[in-house]
Amino acid sequence: MVSAADRVRNPARNSVWLEEKTSRTRRSDQPAGLDRDRITAVSVRLLDAEGLAKFSMRRLAAELNVTPMSVYWYVDTKDDLLELALDSVFSEITPPAATDDWRDRLRGLATSYRELLVRHVWVSPLIGTFLNIGPHSMAFSLAVQDVVRATGLPPHGQMGAVAAVFQFVYGFGTVEGHFVQRCASAGMSQDEYLAEAMGGISAAPSLRKSFENARNLLDARAGETVEEMRERDFDFALDTLVAGIEAMASR
């Protein structure tokens, strides 16, 4: 058993993926149909619906219609559950075919990672909190490494390129996910929310001048909807990063 205190004392060594595998065979008094996979799947569903702040072992047990102790038979801590849930959603990223051009493969991975962050808003605060060494997270990491090796960059520059692309995607997807969630919470479409926000900003004397100075940039983005503008921004930024990698590889 790994306690929460153990994780605090040794955060770099404690992970559900580093613990010795012990038999978790269902006891006779355990509910039928309960196992780690089901517990993880329900955890993801709860995190999607209610968010990270409201997630607890007690809430999960209630959703499963079991006692909290039944859950603890399969996982030792809440952190175990969060690690399992985090890794499980990385299975939604499908590595592109190895025969594709590295640029297309990179764009595919970046786009899929962004979609993951938007679809599961709770994921971004957990990345970096855990080691992310589960099988699905590692499959994504290995796919990224394979693509960056194909760019022609020298080994000492490859991780910098990974950081440039995927930290950009992390930031972009995190902000996008929170904005989408904020609009949903307000009961408004993204376009309605933006129109109301921009109206409030333009009507505020203290903000009007700054808003007017940014008007040309906003207008230049074009697009009929918030989603269209965002897609254009993402594609342009990613193309800029790809062009930078090409330039650095040719030096």
Side-chain angles (χ1 to χ4, degrees), residues 68-216:
M69 288 310 298
S70 294
V71 178
Y72 280 115
W73 177 254
Y74 296 96
V75 292
D76 294 330
T77 68
K78 176 182 171 181
D79 278 353
D80 285 352
L81 277 175
L82 293 176
E83 275 195 277
L84 291 167
L86 179 62
D87 186 70
S88 72
V89 297
F90 269 84
S91 67
E92 299 171 15
I93 298 179
T94 303
T99 55
D100 292 344
D101 181 88
W102 71 261
R103 299 160 189 82
D104 294 334
R105 291 161 61 197
L106 184 63
R107 288 188 180 96
L109 285 169
T111 298
S112 188
Y113 184 43
R114 171 196 168 193
E115 291 170 348
L116 173 71
L117 292 164
V118 176
R119 189 162 51 243
H120 305 292
V121 180
W122 52 272
V123 162
S124 59
L126 296 183
I127 294 176
T129 300
F130 300 117
L131 295 180
N132 297 346
I133 55 174
H136 301 302
S137 298
M138 290 302 296
F140 172 64
S141 178
L142 291 173
V144 170
Q145 292 174 42
D146 184 59
V147 170
V148 79
R149 279 195 297 269
T151 64
L153 286 168
H156 71 266
Q158 290 177 9
M159 289 310 297
V162 170
V165 173
F166 288 94
Q167 289 189 28
F168 150 69
V169 177
Y170 172 86
F172 195 101
T174 296
V175 173
E176 179 183 359
H178 285 298
F179 180 73
V180 171
Q181 188 179 62
R182 177 69 179 271
C183 295
S185 297
M188 305 169 72
S189 71
Q190 296 179 59
D191 297 318
E192 291 169 341
Y193 187 95
L194 180 64
E196 185 167 309
M198 291 300 98
I201 291 172
S202 62
S206 61
L207 299 174
R208 187 179 300 118
K209 185 174 182 180
S210 297
F211 180 74
E212 289 172 353
N213 291 337
R215 173 60 72 179
N216 289 338

